[in-house]
């Protein structure tokens, strides 16, 4: 029988922030220590459940982008709920390879009784924070934004 370690939510969030701010491909096997077995991850591009699927999201991030890293800028913890704001820095692999991009977003976390993540929901504006930075698509997105605000 395995005994679960129970962390106070503030301690759990501190460990979670440290993990994401130092995330590297070699750290990915540790995701199972932070997430509950049936955890859900949702962002503008995917909605997956389970540690293996969540690990796959971050594996893909390291394949698709150069030098991805998170910097958590704020945190609010209330009971088993947490809200983080962050900057995600990366470089595209196919264009502007020498320009570091930044996406600003927020994460809502719900923790279980052991301090593991049950729900990880990322909120960020894919149009403004990502699509507008892509050649051709960016021009179209900026034109659409101008037309919508006219």
């Amino acid at each position: 029988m395995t005994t679960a370690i129970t962390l106070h939510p503030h301690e759990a969030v501190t460990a979670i922030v440290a993990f994401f701010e130092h995330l590297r491909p070699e750290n990915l096997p540790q995701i199972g220590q932070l997430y509950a077995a049936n955890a859900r991850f949702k962002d503008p591009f995917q909605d997956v459940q389970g540690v293996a699927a969540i690990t796959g999201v971050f594996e893909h991030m390291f394949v698709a982008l150069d030098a991805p890293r998170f910097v958590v800028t704020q945190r609010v913890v209330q009971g088993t709920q947490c809200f983080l704001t962050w900057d995600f820095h990366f470089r595209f692999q196919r264009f502007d390879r020498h320009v570091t991009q930044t996406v600003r977003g927020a994460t809502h976390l719900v923790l279980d009784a052991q301090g593991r993540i049950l729900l990880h929901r990322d909120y960020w504006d894919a149009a403004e924070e990502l699509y507008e930075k892509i050649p051709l698509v960016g021009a179209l997105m900026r034109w659409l934004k101008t037309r919508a605000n006219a």
Side-chain angles (χ1 to χ4, degrees):
M1 182 167 129
T2 303
T3 304
I5 297 172
T6 302
L7 290 177
H8 185 277
H10 286 278
E11 294 170 335
V13 170
T14 296
I16 290 163
V17 167
F19 176 80
F20 281 106
E21 287 192 328
H22 298 94
L23 187 60
R24 305 288 177 269
E26 58 270 16
N27 304 105
L28 292 177
Q30 296 172 11
I31 283 181
Q33 297 170 16
L34 294 176
Y35 286 84
N38 62 339
R40 180 179 178 207
F41 175 94
K42 182 170 176 38
D43 74 2
F45 293 114
Q46 57 250 323
D47 185 351
V48 300
Q49 190 157 6
V51 171
I54 293 167
T55 301
V57 168
F58 293 102
E59 287 172 340
H60 180 263
M61 175 187 77
F62 283 108
V63 169
L65 301 172
D66 282 334
R69 67 183 179 89
F70 293 94
V71 176
V72 175
T73 56
Q74 298 282 328
R75 71 177 90 175
V76 176
V77 181
Q78 184 174 10
T80 59
Q81 306 266 335
C82 174
F83 188 78
L84 306 171
T85 58
W86 43 261
D87 293 339
F88 177 57
H89 304 282
F90 65 93
R91 289 188 308 270
F92 289 115
Q93 289 186 355
R94 300 189 183 186
F95 52 90
D96 285 339
R97 296 177 64 189
H98 303 292
V99 177
T100 300
Q101 305 291 333
T102 301
V103 170
R104 289 176 179 80
T107 297
H108 174 222
L109 300 174
V110 177
L111 307 177
D112 68 10
Q114 288 75 43
R116 294 174 303 187
I117 301 167
L118 284 172
L119 171 67
H120 178 152
R121 176 79 190 258
D122 283 347
Y123 296 92
W124 53 279
D125 185 344
E128 179 181 349
E129 298 288 348
L130 184 63
Y131 297 141
E132 285 186 14
K133 299 174 182 182
I134 299 173
L136 299 177
V137 174
L140 174 61
M141 295 303 295
R142 288 185 296 276
W143 179 80
L144 288 171
K145 184 191 274 187
T146 301
R147 298 290 295 169
N149 291 327

